[in-house]
Amino acid sequence: MSDTDELMILDPALQEKSVNMKKMENAKNKVEWKKEEKKKKKRKRKVKQHVDELKHPEKTDAEKPASLKQCLGPKCVYPSRPGSKYCSDDCGMKLAAERIYEILPTRIQQWQKSPCIAEEQSKKILERIHREQQDTHARLKYMECRFHELEAIIQRGKQQTVCRDEESKKGSKDGVDLKIFCVSCGQTINMSVALRHMERCFAKYECKSSFGSLYPTCIEGATRLFCDVYDPQSKRYCKRLQVLCPEHSRDPKVTDDEVCGCPLVHNVFELTGDFCRLPKRLCSHHYCWEKLRRAEVDLERVRALHKLEELLEQERNVHTSMTNRAGLLGLMLHQTIQHDPLTTDLRSKDEN
């Protein structure tokens, strides 16, 4: 039976009493539900307030002046700023200065008493770097002398006269028809024109690649090293060797009466003092010899300059490490404890 059926069977008085009981239960449940809702809202409000205090502590400190701490500055009686340990920047600087005056002298004495193995190693590295720098400077001076000597040899070779007898003998010797493959394009070419073809073929492929930099070369005392021609399209300066750049420096036109002038050698390396007096346009054995000799000297000079740059970078890094090792911050943050006052050398020694 349902609740309505039960109420119909009961007396009117009992029916009224049961209805009142149900109303009281419903009212009680409403009151309890409202209390639970209030507790939840209060709990959420507290959690939100706690999160805001964690995120913005300076606001809470400003709202509650009694919670502000005293400034840590020496002889300062004022409260600290919100979110800071000091009332002003001057108090912080004064406290830092007093700490330095108090701690730094003892740390310096400890540093001077016990030798540092890293400092000794850095000094040895600096000595080695200085020796290498002196050797590289001497090498660079030697290459500069070779540069001027080569230019003098080229001028002497140009002053030679063309010998027609040697031209006829050379033509009879080179009459053999031999073929060779080009190393760049792979075509078969005659031996007499092999050097000319390979040089032009290599220059053609070299023009397709670019070697540029945003800044021009500025080396004191150096002459004729890099091309340094500005390209407005790429906004770069060409960094090929000036004598080998096929894009911005072309070989001058050879006249009919111009002599080869290449210095002749004996046993590969011994100079004979004579020069090749064949016409330059017919000499196939010494093709572009001036350009190749100049490029060899310039390349050695560039290598010496790169070596000097690397040594300067190494010296700068060693000086930086030595400065940081005995600097104010390092001495204040690090300390070596000397347990035995009689022992001055704190380095670990080999048991053997």
Side-chain angles (χ1 to χ4, degrees):
M1 292 171 49
S2 62
D3 295 339
T4 55
D5 296 337
E6 289 180 357
L7 291 174
M8 290 174 66
I9 295 173
L10 295 175
D11 294 338
L14 293 176
Q15 289 180 3
E16 186 177 356
K17 188 176 181 180
S18 62
V19 169
N20 292 334
M21 289 291 293
K22 284 189 177 182
K23 287 182 178 179
M24 289 175 63
E25 287 179 0
N26 292 335
K28 188 177 180 181
N29 290 335
K30 276 187 178 182
V31 170
E32 290 180 355
W33 179 77
K34 286 181 179 179
K35 287 182 179 179
E36 290 292 331
E37 288 294 326
K38 287 182 180 179
K39 287 181 180 179
K40 288 181 180 179
K41 289 181 180 179
K42 190 181 291 185
R43 196 180 299 115
K44 287 181 180 180
R45 197 181 302 113
K46 286 184 178 180
V47 170
K48 186 178 180 181
Q49 185 178 0
H50 182 65
V51 171
D52 292 339
E53 288 178 357
L54 292 176
K55 287 184 177 179
H56 307 284
E58 63 277 0
K59 292 183 179 179
T60 58
D61 293 341
E63 292 173 358
K64 302 175 183 178
S67 64
L68 295 175
K69 298 181 180 179
Q70 184 180 350
C71 175
L72 297 181
K75 299 179 182 180
C76 183
V77 295
Y78 296 103
S80 62
R81 292 179 297 184
S84 175
K85 297 180 181 179
Y86 311 101
C87 64
S88 62
D89 295 339
D90 294 336
C91 284
M93 296 296 291
K94 289 178 182 178
L95 181 61
E98 287 197 1
R99 284 177 177 172
I100 291 173
Y101 294 148
E102 183 70 24
I103 300 173
L104 188 61
T106 57
R107 297 291 175 85
I108 293 176
Q109 290 178 0
Q110 291 176 359
W111 172 265
Q112 292 176 350
K113 283 181 181 179
S114 59
C116 180
I117 186 66
E119 193 76 12
E120 296 178 2
Q121 290 178 352
S122 298
K123 290 179 181 178
K124 292 180 181 178
I125 292 173
L126 280 178
E127 292 177 359
R128 177 184 59 81
I129 290 173
H130 291 160
R131 287 196 301 269
E132 291 184 3
Q133 284 178 344
Q134 292 178 359
D135 296 340
T136 310
H137 278 295
R139 176 69 178 172
L140 190 58
K141 289 182 180 179
Y142 171 71
M143 296 311 301
E144 289 288 340
C145 294
R146 280 195 59 189
F147 167 77
H148 295 293
E149 289 176 1
L150 179 61
E151 294 298 324
I153 290 174
I154 292 173
Q155 291 297 327
R156 286 175 56 193
K158 288 182 178 180
Q159 294 174 2
Q160 303 296 319
T161 58
V162 178
C163 182
R164 301 296 176 181
D165 297 336
E166 291 187 6
E167 180 182 352
S168 60
K169 292 178 182 178
K170 199 71 178 178
S172 61
K173 289 182 181 179
D174 294 343
V176 183
D177 189 11
L178 296 177
K179 299 289 184 179
I180 192 173
F181 290 99
C182 176
V183 295
S184 298
C185 63
Q187 294 181 1
T188 56
I189 50 177
N190 200 337
M191 282 288 294
S192 59
V193 295
L195 289 176
R196 297 175 186 271
H197 174 84
M198 290 182 183
E199 183 69 22
R200 292 173 183 172
C201 198
F202 173 75
K204 182 176 66 175
Y205 286 104
E206 184 72 10
C207 289
K208 296 180 181 179
S209 59
S210 61
F211 302 91
S213 175
L214 291 173
Y215 306 100
T217 306
C218 184
I219 302 175
E220 185 178 357
T223 54
R224 198 201 66 199
L225 272 181
F226 298 104
C227 180
D228 276 334
V229 174
Y230 183 73
D231 186 8
Q233 293 182 354
S234 61
K235 298 181 181 180
R236 297 288 191 275
Y237 292 91
C238 180
K239 291 303 173 184
R240 296 189 185 95
L241 287 178
Q242 185 179 0
V243 293
L244 289 181
C245 183
E247 188 175 358
H248 305 114
S249 60
R250 297 186 178 181
D251 298 332
K253 189 175 181 180
V254 180
T255 59
D256 296 337
D257 57 346
E258 187 175 354
V259 69
C260 175
C262 179
L264 301 178
V265 294
H266 177 67
N267 291 334
V268 182
F269 299 106
E270 299 176 4
L271 292 173
T272 60
D274 297 332
F275 295 89
C276 178
R277 294 189 295 172
L278 283 173
K280 194 170 185 177
R281 60 182 181 84
L282 297 178
C283 184
S284 59
H285 288 276
H286 309 125
Y287 181 70
C288 291
W289 71 272
E290 304 103 325
K291 182 170 71 172
L292 297 177
R293 294 282 184 90
R294 284 171 174 164
E296 181 183 0
V297 175
D298 290 351
L299 185 60
E300 289 294 330
R301 292 161 64 202
V302 170
R303 287 174 179 170
L305 291 172
H306 277 300
K307 183 67 174 177
L308 280 177
E309 188 177 358
E310 291 177 2
L311 292 173
L312 286 174
E313 183 67 20
Q314 293 177 11
E315 184 181 7
R316 187 186 65 81
N317 293 335
V318 173
H319 278 302
T320 303
S321 62
M322 293 175 69
T323 305
N324 294 336
R325 190 178 298 121
L328 173 64
L329 187 62
L331 291 175
M332 293 291 291
L333 294 179
H334 308 294
Q335 181 183 11
T336 302
I337 300 175
Q338 186 174 353
H339 299 282
D340 188 2
L342 301 177
T343 304
T344 57
D345 193 353
L346 301 180
R347 294 175 292 179
S348 59
K349 298 180 180 179
D350 297 334
E351 296 181 358
N352 298 330

Short mmCIF file of all heavy atoms in Angstrom, two decimals, residues 33-72:
data_model
loop_
_atom_site.label_atom_id
_atom_site.label_comp_id
_atom_site.label_asym_id
_atom_site.label_seq_id
_atom_site.Cartn_x
_atom_site.Cartn_y
_atom_site.Cartn_z
N TRP A 33 21.07 20.95 4.75
CA TRP A 33 21.66 21.15 3.41
C TRP A 33 22.24 22.55 3.28
O TRP A 33 23.31 22.75 2.72
CB TRP A 33 20.57 20.92 2.37
CG TRP A 33 21.05 21.14 0.97
CD1 TRP A 33 21.80 20.31 0.23
CD2 TRP A 33 20.78 22.29 0.15
NE1 TRP A 33 22.05 20.81 -1.00
CE2 TRP A 33 21.44 22.06 -1.08
CE3 TRP A 33 20.08 23.46 0.34
CZ2 TRP A 33 21.39 22.98 -2.13
CZ3 TRP A 33 20.03 24.37 -0.69
CH2 TRP A 33 20.69 24.13 -1.90
N LYS A 34 21.52 23.56 3.86
CA LYS A 34 22.02 24.93 3.82
C LYS A 34 23.30 25.07 4.61
O LYS A 34 24.25 25.76 4.23
CB LYS A 34 20.95 25.89 4.35
CG LYS A 34 19.79 26.12 3.39
CD LYS A 34 18.79 27.11 3.97
CE LYS A 34 17.63 27.34 2.98
NZ LYS A 34 16.62 28.29 3.53
N LYS A 35 23.37 24.38 5.78
CA LYS A 35 24.59 24.43 6.58
C LYS A 35 25.78 23.83 5.83
O LYS A 35 26.90 24.36 5.84
CB LYS A 35 24.37 23.67 7.90
CG LYS A 35 23.49 24.41 8.88
CD LYS A 35 23.38 23.61 10.18
CE LYS A 35 22.51 24.37 11.20
NZ LYS A 35 22.37 23.60 12.46
N GLU A 36 25.54 22.72 5.13
CA GLU A 36 26.62 22.10 4.35
C GLU A 36 27.08 23.02 3.22
O GLU A 36 28.28 23.15 2.95
CB GLU A 36 26.15 20.76 3.76
CG GLU A 36 25.96 19.66 4.79
CD GLU A 36 27.28 19.22 5.39
OE1 GLU A 36 28.31 19.33 4.68
OE2 GLU A 36 27.29 18.81 6.56
N GLU A 37 26.13 23.70 2.59
CA GLU A 37 26.51 24.63 1.51
C GLU A 37 27.33 25.79 2.05
O GLU A 37 28.31 26.22 1.44
CB GLU A 37 25.24 25.16 0.83
CG GLU A 37 24.53 24.15 -0.05
CD GLU A 37 25.36 23.76 -1.25
OE1 GLU A 37 26.08 24.63 -1.78
OE2 GLU A 37 25.30 22.58 -1.65
N LYS A 38 26.94 26.30 3.22
CA LYS A 38 27.72 27.39 3.82
C LYS A 38 29.14 26.94 4.15
O LYS A 38 30.12 27.67 3.95
CB LYS A 38 27.01 27.91 5.07
CG LYS A 38 25.76 28.72 4.79
CD LYS A 38 25.15 29.22 6.08
CE LYS A 38 23.89 30.05 5.78
NZ LYS A 38 23.25 30.54 7.03
N LYS A 39 29.26 25.72 4.70
CA LYS A 39 30.59 25.20 5.02
C LYS A 39 31.46 25.06 3.77
O LYS A 39 32.65 25.39 3.77
CB LYS A 39 30.46 23.84 5.73
CG LYS A 39 29.96 23.94 7.14
CD LYS A 39 29.89 22.55 7.78
CE LYS A 39 29.37 22.64 9.21
NZ LYS A 39 29.28 21.29 9.83
N LYS A 40 30.87 24.57 2.67
CA LYS A 40 31.62 24.42 1.42
C LYS A 40 32.09 25.77 0.89
O LYS A 40 33.24 25.94 0.46
CB LYS A 40 30.76 23.72 0.37
CG LYS A 40 30.55 22.24 0.64
CD LYS A 40 29.70 21.61 -0.46
CE LYS A 40 29.48 20.12 -0.19
NZ LYS A 40 28.64 19.52 -1.26
N LYS A 41 31.18 26.76 0.91
CA LYS A 41 31.56 28.10 0.44
C LYS A 41 32.67 28.70 1.29
O LYS A 41 33.60 29.32 0.79
CB LYS A 41 30.33 29.01 0.44
CG LYS A 41 29.31 28.68 -0.64
CD LYS A 41 28.15 29.64 -0.58
CE LYS A 41 27.12 29.32 -1.67
NZ LYS A 41 25.95 30.23 -1.64
N LYS A 42 32.56 28.52 2.64
CA LYS A 42 33.58 29.07 3.53
C LYS A 42 34.94 28.39 3.27
O LYS A 42 36.00 29.02 3.27
CB LYS A 42 33.14 28.85 4.97
CG LYS A 42 34.01 29.60 5.99
CD LYS A 42 33.54 29.32 7.40
CE LYS A 42 32.18 29.96 7.64
NZ LYS A 42 31.76 29.79 9.07
N ARG A 43 34.89 27.04 3.03
CA ARG A 43 36.12 26.32 2.75
C ARG A 43 36.76 26.78 1.45
O ARG A 43 37.98 26.97 1.35
CB ARG A 43 35.83 24.81 2.69
CG ARG A 43 37.09 23.95 2.81
CD ARG A 43 36.76 22.47 2.74
NE ARG A 43 35.88 22.07 3.84
CZ ARG A 43 34.64 21.64 3.70
NH1 ARG A 43 34.10 21.57 2.48
NH2 ARG A 43 33.93 21.28 4.75
N LYS A 44 35.95 26.99 0.41
CA LYS A 44 36.47 27.49 -0.88
C LYS A 44 37.06 28.88 -0.73
O LYS A 44 38.10 29.21 -1.31
CB LYS A 44 35.35 27.50 -1.92
CG LYS A 44 34.94 26.13 -2.41
CD LYS A 44 33.86 26.23 -3.46
CE LYS A 44 33.44 24.86 -3.96
NZ LYS A 44 32.36 24.95 -4.99
N ARG A 45 36.40 29.74 0.09
CA ARG A 45 36.89 31.10 0.29
C ARG A 45 38.26 31.08 0.99
O ARG A 45 39.17 31.84 0.65
CB ARG A 45 35.88 31.89 1.10
CG ARG A 45 36.09 33.41 1.02
CD ARG A 45 35.08 34.16 1.86
NE ARG A 45 33.70 33.84 1.46
CZ ARG A 45 32.83 33.19 2.22
NH1 ARG A 45 33.19 32.77 3.42
NH2 ARG A 45 31.60 32.95 1.79
N LYS A 46 38.43 30.20 1.96
CA LYS A 46 39.71 30.09 2.66
C LYS A 46 40.82 29.59 1.75
O LYS A 46 41.96 30.08 1.78
CB LYS A 46 39.56 29.17 3.86
CG LYS A 46 38.80 29.76 5.02
CD LYS A 46 38.78 28.81 6.20
CE LYS A 46 38.04 29.43 7.40
NZ LYS A 46 38.02 28.50 8.54
N VAL A 47 40.49 28.59 0.92
CA VAL A 47 41.49 28.06 -0.02
C VAL A 47 41.92 29.14 -1.01
O VAL A 47 43.12 29.32 -1.30
CB VAL A 47 40.93 26.83 -0.76
CG1 VAL A 47 41.86 26.43 -1.89
CG2 VAL A 47 40.76 25.67 0.21
N LYS A 48 40.97 29.90 -1.52
CA LYS A 48 41.29 30.97 -2.47
C LYS A 48 42.13 32.06 -1.81
O LYS A 48 43.09 32.58 -2.39
CB LYS A 48 40.00 31.56 -3.01
CG LYS A 48 40.21 32.59 -4.10
CD LYS A 48 38.89 33.10 -4.63
CE LYS A 48 39.12 34.13 -5.73
NZ LYS A 48 37.85 34.67 -6.26
N GLN A 49 41.81 32.39 -0.57
CA GLN A 49 42.57 33.41 0.15
C GLN A 49 44.00 32.93 0.39
O GLN A 49 44.97 33.70 0.26
CB GLN A 49 41.88 33.72 1.47
CG GLN A 49 42.54 34.85 2.26
CD GLN A 49 41.78 35.15 3.53
OE1 GLN A 49 40.77 34.50 3.81
NE2 GLN A 49 42.25 36.12 4.29
N HIS A 50 44.16 31.65 0.72
CA HIS A 50 45.50 31.10 0.94
C HIS A 50 46.33 31.10 -0.35
O HIS A 50 47.53 31.44 -0.33
CB HIS A 50 45.38 29.68 1.49
CG HIS A 50 46.70 29.04 1.81
ND1 HIS A 50 47.54 29.51 2.81
CD2 HIS A 50 47.34 27.98 1.25
CE1 HIS A 50 48.62 28.77 2.86
NE2 HIS A 50 48.53 27.83 1.92
N VAL A 51 45.70 30.77 -1.48
CA VAL A 51 46.40 30.79 -2.76
C VAL A 51 46.82 32.21 -3.13
O VAL A 51 47.93 32.45 -3.60
CB VAL A 51 45.51 30.17 -3.86
CG1 VAL A 51 46.15 30.39 -5.23
CG2 VAL A 51 45.33 28.68 -3.62
N ASP A 52 45.94 33.18 -2.88
CA ASP A 52 46.29 34.58 -3.16
C ASP A 52 47.44 35.05 -2.29
O ASP A 52 48.31 35.81 -2.73
CB ASP A 52 45.07 35.47 -2.94
CG ASP A 52 43.98 35.23 -3.97
OD1 ASP A 52 44.32 34.68 -5.05
OD2 ASP A 52 42.81 35.56 -3.71
N GLU A 53 47.48 34.60 -1.05
CA GLU A 53 48.59 34.98 -0.17
C GLU A 53 49.91 34.40 -0.66
O GLU A 53 50.96 35.04 -0.56
CB GLU A 53 48.31 34.50 1.25
CG GLU A 53 47.21 35.29 1.96
CD GLU A 53 46.93 34.74 3.34
OE1 GLU A 53 47.58 33.73 3.71
OE2 GLU A 53 46.09 35.30 4.05
N LEU A 54 49.85 33.16 -1.18
CA LEU A 54 51.08 32.56 -1.70
C LEU A 54 51.55 33.26 -2.97
O LEU A 54 52.76 33.43 -3.19
CB LEU A 54 50.88 31.07 -1.97
CG LEU A 54 50.66 30.19 -0.74
CD1 LEU A 54 50.38 28.76 -1.17
CD2 LEU A 54 51.89 30.22 0.17
N LYS A 55 50.61 33.67 -3.82
CA LYS A 55 50.98 34.31 -5.08
C LYS A 55 51.43 35.75 -4.87
O LYS A 55 52.38 36.21 -5.49
CB LYS A 55 49.79 34.29 -6.06
CG LYS A 55 49.51 32.91 -6.63
CD LYS A 55 48.39 32.98 -7.66
CE LYS A 55 48.14 31.63 -8.29
NZ LYS A 55 47.04 31.67 -9.28
N HIS A 56 50.78 36.49 -4.00
CA HIS A 56 51.09 37.91 -3.79
C HIS A 56 51.33 38.15 -2.30
O HIS A 56 50.43 38.64 -1.59
CB HIS A 56 49.93 38.79 -4.29
CG HIS A 56 49.55 38.50 -5.70
ND1 HIS A 56 50.30 38.92 -6.79
CD2 HIS A 56 48.50 37.80 -6.23
CE1 HIS A 56 49.73 38.52 -7.90
NE2 HIS A 56 48.63 37.84 -7.59
N PRO A 57 52.51 37.79 -1.80
CA PRO A 57 52.74 37.99 -0.36
C PRO A 57 52.88 39.46 0.01
O PRO A 57 52.62 39.84 1.14
CB PRO A 57 54.06 37.24 -0.12
CG PRO A 57 54.73 37.22 -1.45
CD PRO A 57 53.63 37.14 -2.46
N GLU A 58 53.29 40.31 -0.96
CA GLU A 58 53.49 41.72 -0.61
C GLU A 58 52.15 42.40 -0.30
O GLU A 58 52.09 43.35 0.48
CB GLU A 58 54.21 42.45 -1.75
CG GLU A 58 53.47 42.52 -3.07
CD GLU A 58 53.67 41.26 -3.91
OE1 GLU A 58 54.37 40.35 -3.43
OE2 GLU A 58 53.13 41.19 -5.03
N LYS A 59 51.05 41.94 -0.94
CA LYS A 59 49.74 42.53 -0.67
C LYS A 59 49.28 42.24 0.75
O LYS A 59 48.78 43.10 1.47
CB LYS A 59 48.71 42.02 -1.67
CG LYS A 59 48.95 42.52 -3.09
CD LYS A 59 47.85 42.03 -3.99
CE LYS A 59 48.07 42.54 -5.43
NZ LYS A 59 47.00 42.05 -6.34
N THR A 60 49.51 40.99 1.17
CA THR A 60 49.10 40.62 2.54
C THR A 60 49.93 41.35 3.57
O THR A 60 49.42 41.75 4.62
CB THR A 60 49.22 39.10 2.71
OG1 THR A 60 50.57 38.73 2.44
CG2 THR A 60 48.30 38.38 1.75
N ASP A 61 51.23 41.52 3.26
CA ASP A 61 52.08 42.24 4.21
C ASP A 61 51.66 43.69 4.31
O ASP A 61 51.73 44.31 5.38
CB ASP A 61 53.55 42.14 3.77
CG ASP A 61 54.06 40.72 3.90
OD1 ASP A 61 53.43 39.93 4.63
OD2 ASP A 61 55.08 40.40 3.25
N ALA A 62 51.30 44.28 3.16
CA ALA A 62 50.87 45.67 3.17
C ALA A 62 49.54 45.84 3.91
O ALA A 62 49.30 46.86 4.58
CB ALA A 62 50.74 46.21 1.75
N GLU A 63 48.64 44.84 3.81
CA GLU A 63 47.37 44.92 4.49
C GLU A 63 47.52 44.72 6.00
O GLU A 63 46.72 45.22 6.80
CB GLU A 63 46.41 43.88 3.92
CG GLU A 63 46.00 44.17 2.48
CD GLU A 63 45.19 43.03 1.90
OE1 GLU A 63 44.99 42.01 2.62
OE2 GLU A 63 44.75 43.14 0.73
N LYS A 64 48.57 43.95 6.39
CA LYS A 64 48.80 43.68 7.81
C LYS A 64 50.15 44.26 8.21
O LYS A 64 51.18 43.58 8.10
CB LYS A 64 48.78 42.17 8.07
CG LYS A 64 47.47 41.51 7.66
CD LYS A 64 47.57 40.02 7.84
CE LYS A 64 46.30 39.33 7.38
NZ LYS A 64 46.42 37.84 7.51
N PRO A 65 50.24 45.49 8.61
CA PRO A 65 51.52 46.11 8.95
C PRO A 65 52.19 45.41 10.12
O PRO A 65 53.41 45.43 10.24
CB PRO A 65 51.14 47.55 9.30
CG PRO A 65 49.79 47.77 8.67
CD PRO A 65 49.12 46.44 8.71
N ALA A 66 51.42 44.79 11.00
CA ALA A 66 52.04 44.13 12.16
C ALA A 66 52.86 42.91 11.77
O ALA A 66 53.74 42.47 12.50
CB ALA A 66 50.95 43.73 13.16
N SER A 67 52.58 42.32 10.57
CA SER A 67 53.30 41.13 10.14
C SER A 67 54.64 41.43 9.48
O SER A 67 55.38 40.53 9.15
CB SER A 67 52.44 40.32 9.17
OG SER A 67 52.20 41.07 7.99
N LEU A 68 54.95 42.72 9.22
CA LEU A 68 56.21 43.08 8.59
C LEU A 68 57.38 42.82 9.54
O LEU A 68 57.31 43.13 10.74
CB LEU A 68 56.19 44.56 8.18
CG LEU A 68 55.19 44.93 7.08
CD1 LEU A 68 55.20 46.44 6.86
CD2 LEU A 68 55.53 44.23 5.79
N LYS A 69 58.49 42.28 8.98
CA LYS A 69 59.68 41.98 9.79
C LYS A 69 60.60 43.19 9.80
O LYS A 69 60.53 44.07 8.95
CB LYS A 69 60.40 40.76 9.22
CG LYS A 69 59.57 39.50 9.25
CD LYS A 69 60.35 38.33 8.69
CE LYS A 69 59.52 37.05 8.71
NZ LYS A 69 60.27 35.90 8.15
N GLN A 70 61.52 43.16 10.76
CA GLN A 70 62.47 44.25 10.87
C GLN A 70 63.53 44.13 9.78
O GLN A 70 63.89 43.04 9.35
CB GLN A 70 63.14 44.25 12.24
CG GLN A 70 64.08 45.43 12.46
CD GLN A 70 64.72 45.40 13.83
OE1 GLN A 70 64.31 44.61 14.66
NE2 GLN A 70 65.69 46.26 14.06
N CYS A 71 64.02 45.25 9.31
CA CYS A 71 65.05 45.27 8.26
C CYS A 71 66.34 44.64 8.79
O CYS A 71 66.72 44.82 9.96
CB CYS A 71 65.30 46.72 7.84
SG CYS A 71 66.66 46.92 6.67
N LEU A 72 67.01 43.86 7.94
CA LEU A 72 68.25 43.18 8.32
C LEU A 72 69.48 44.06 8.18
O LEU A 72 70.60 43.60 8.42
CB LEU A 72 68.44 41.93 7.46
CG LEU A 72 67.39 40.84 7.62
CD1 LEU A 72 67.71 39.66 6.72
CD2 LEU A 72 67.30 40.37 9.06
#
